[in-house]
């Protein structure tokens, strides 16, 4: 391209270029270019006359053409680099978004596991032994059946439900890097979440403390079980009440990190509406 342009430049009228740098290799340039012209009998450049007194101007324009080509090549390289950087940025952004999404999904499973462990403790440490005493004739006035039911509410069915729900969550997260459909998992089980309505409605965070004050036999039960405490029971009984708002926060975070084209996107929004 430069050599073909040189023909036009040779015939061009010289124009002053006040900012041009001095040419130090003019003689060498003339010699090499004349050699090239003499060795290329079929070249269109044969129409050019040998370089003479105006060769300095041709040399300057030739160098301008070379610099222009260099700039074009550099610009092309820069565009390619910009494209690659943009591509890498998109890939990195998608990777980071997916990594954060998986992190939130793992947090859902982690918090659910902790929650289920707390429910297990309620059932094993408190519910089962007190139920055995309450529904025996020799319960020694620890609690009446009504007081027992008021104290624990829907803990038993809530515990059973979350054992199943946790396994469903784990199966979904274990499916990564395939599609993780946490929204679908929620939608399969949301009917069971309705048991929370009655539980929350009847829950009284201070009821166990009131029983301990008014029922010495109930307070003494903790004395005979030093590994258990009233405070521990109170802190665990309130966790089901706190769980539903926690689901809402986690689902909101997952939706924020989920692409609208993702297979679980609509199910996540449906699950959020159910919560």
């Amino acid at each position: 391209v430069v050599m073909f342009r040189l023909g036009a430049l040779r015939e061009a009228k010289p124009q002053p270029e006040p900012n041009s740098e001095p040419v130090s290799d003019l003689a060498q340039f003339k010699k090499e270019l004349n050699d090239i012209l003499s060795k290329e009998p079929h070249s269109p450049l044969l129409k050019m006359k040998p370089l003479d007194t105006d060769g300095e101007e041709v040399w300057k324009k030739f160098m301008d053409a070379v610099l222009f080509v260099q700039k074009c090549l550099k610009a092309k390289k820069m565009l390619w680099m910009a494209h690659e950087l943009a591509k890498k940025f998109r890939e990195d952004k998608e990777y980071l978004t997916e990594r954060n999404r998986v992190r939130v999904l793992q947090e859902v499973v982690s918090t659910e596991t902790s929650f289920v462990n707390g429910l297990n403790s309620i059932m094993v440490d408190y519910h089962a032994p007190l139920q055995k005493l309450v529904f025996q004739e020799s319960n020694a006035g620890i609690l009446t059946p009504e007081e027992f039911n008021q104290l624990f509410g829907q803990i038993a069915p809530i515990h059973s439900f979350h054992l199943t729900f946790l396994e469903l969550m784990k199966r979904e997260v274990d499916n990564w890097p395939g599609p993780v459909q946490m929204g679908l998992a929620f939608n399969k089980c949301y009917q069971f979440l309705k048991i929370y309505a009655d539980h929350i409605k009847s829950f009284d965070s201070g009821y166990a403390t009131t029983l301990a004050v008014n029922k010495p036999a109930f307070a003494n039960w903790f004395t005979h079980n030093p590994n258990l405490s009233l405070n521990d029971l109170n802190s665990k009984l309130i966790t089901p009440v706190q769980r539903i708002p926690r689901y809402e926060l986690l689902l909101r975070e997952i939706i924020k990190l989920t692409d609208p084209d993702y297979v679980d996107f609509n199910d996540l929004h449906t699950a959020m509406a159910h919560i």
Side-chain angles (χ1 to χ4, degrees), residues 77-148:
K77 183 177 181 181
M78 292 298 292
L79 287 173
W80 177 81
M81 290 175 64
H83 173 75
E84 290 298 311
L85 286 172
K87 181 180 177 182
K88 187 175 187 303
F89 174 78
R90 287 194 301 270
E91 291 174 350
D92 288 349
K93 186 177 179 181
E94 291 171 2
Y95 170 75
L96 288 174
T97 300
E98 181 62 14
R99 189 176 68 176
N100 288 334
R101 183 175 181 276
V102 172
R103 176 185 56 79
V104 176
L105 291 168
Q106 290 171 339
E107 184 180 353
V108 173
V109 174
S110 176
T111 56
E112 186 71 11
T113 301
S114 298
F115 177 60
V116 169
N117 288 339
L119 293 177
N120 289 339
S121 176
I122 294 174
M123 294 301 296
V124 173
D125 298 333
Y126 298 98
H127 188 278
L130 284 171
Q131 184 182 46
K132 185 176 180 180
L133 290 172
V134 166
F135 292 95
Q136 286 180 353
E137 292 184 3
S138 59
N139 88 41
I142 290 180
L143 292 174
T144 66
E146 294 74 19
E147 289 169 337
F148 175 85

Side-chain angles (χ1 to χ4, degrees), residues 10-264:
R10 177 66 180 80
E11 301 295 331
K13 198 182 256 189
Q15 300 199 1
E17 294 192 13
N19 296 326
S20 297
E21 295 181 0
V23 179
S24 58
D25 296 329
L26 178 57
Q28 181 66 24
F29 168 71
K30 289 180 181 180
K31 181 179 182 302
E32 291 182 0
L33 189 56
N34 285 329
D35 289 343
I36 292 173
L37 293 175
S38 65
K39 292 177 183 177
E40 296 290 340
H42 302 293
S43 172
L45 297 177
L46 267 180
K47 294 181 181 180
M48 290 181 59
K49 298 177 181 178
L51 293 176
D52 46 25
T53 55
D54 64 344
E56 182 174 348
E57 186 67 27
V58 176
W59 164 257
K60 291 177 183 178
K61 290 191 175 294
F62 175 76
M63 292 306 300
D64 287 343
V66 171
L67 290 174
F68 174 75
V69 172
Q70 288 177 338
K71 288 178 181 178
C72 289
L73 293 175
K74 185 176 181 181
K76 184 177 180 181
K77 183 177 181 181
M78 292 298 292
L79 287 173
W80 177 81
M81 290 175 64
H83 173 75
E84 290 298 311
L85 286 172
K87 181 180 177 182
K88 187 175 187 303
F89 174 78
R90 287 194 301 270
E91 291 174 350
D92 288 349
K93 186 177 179 181
E94 291 171 2
Y95 170 75
L96 288 174
T97 300
E98 181 62 14
R99 189 176 68 176
N100 288 334
R101 183 175 181 276
V102 172
R103 176 185 56 79
V104 176
L105 291 168
Q106 290 171 339
E107 184 180 353
V108 173
V109 174
S110 176
T111 56
E112 186 71 11
T113 301
S114 298
F115 177 60
V116 169
N117 288 339
L119 293 177
N120 289 339
S121 176
I122 294 174
M123 294 301 296
V124 173
D125 298 333
Y126 298 98
H127 188 278
L130 284 171
Q131 184 182 46
K132 185 176 180 180
L133 290 172
V134 166
F135 292 95
Q136 286 180 353
E137 292 184 3
S138 59
N139 88 41
I142 290 180
L143 292 174
T144 66
E146 294 74 19
E147 289 169 337
F148 175 85
N149 291 332
Q150 176 64 30
L151 176 63
F152 291 103
Q154 300 295 320
I155 285 292
I158 287 174
H159 175 247
S160 297
F161 159 68
H162 281 280
L163 289 174
T164 302
F165 193 35
L166 176 59
E167 291 306 312
L168 187 58
M169 284 183 172
K170 286 180 177 179
R171 283 201 299 271
E172 286 297 331
V173 172
D174 288 344
N175 196 44
W176 191 82
V180 179
Q181 297 180 266
M182 192 62 73
L184 182 62
F186 270 90
N187 293 333
K188 285 180 179 178
C189 300
Y190 88 95
Q191 292 284 354
F192 293 97
L193 294 175
K194 292 181 178 180
I195 61 177
Y196 276 92
D198 292 335
H199 182 78
I200 293 172
K201 187 176 180 180
S202 62
F203 178 74
D204 180 356
S205 60
Y207 188 67
T209 302
T210 301
L211 287 175
V213 171
N214 298 327
K215 307 273 295 192
F218 181 59
N220 289 335
W221 183 79
F222 288 98
T223 304
H224 291 97
N225 293 275
N227 293 329
L228 308 177
S229 72
L230 184 62
N231 288 336
D232 180 61
L233 176 60
N234 280 328
S235 66
K236 288 174 178 174
L237 286 175
I238 200 172
T239 55
V241 179
Q242 299 169 331
R243 190 60 185 156
I244 298 299
R246 182 63 174 164
Y247 284 145
E248 183 179 1
L249 291 174
L250 292 169
L251 282 173
R252 196 182 304 278
E253 186 68 16
I254 295 171
I255 290 172
K256 187 170 69 174
L257 296 168
T258 301
D259 190 277
D261 295 331
Y262 195 76
V263 64
D264 198 39

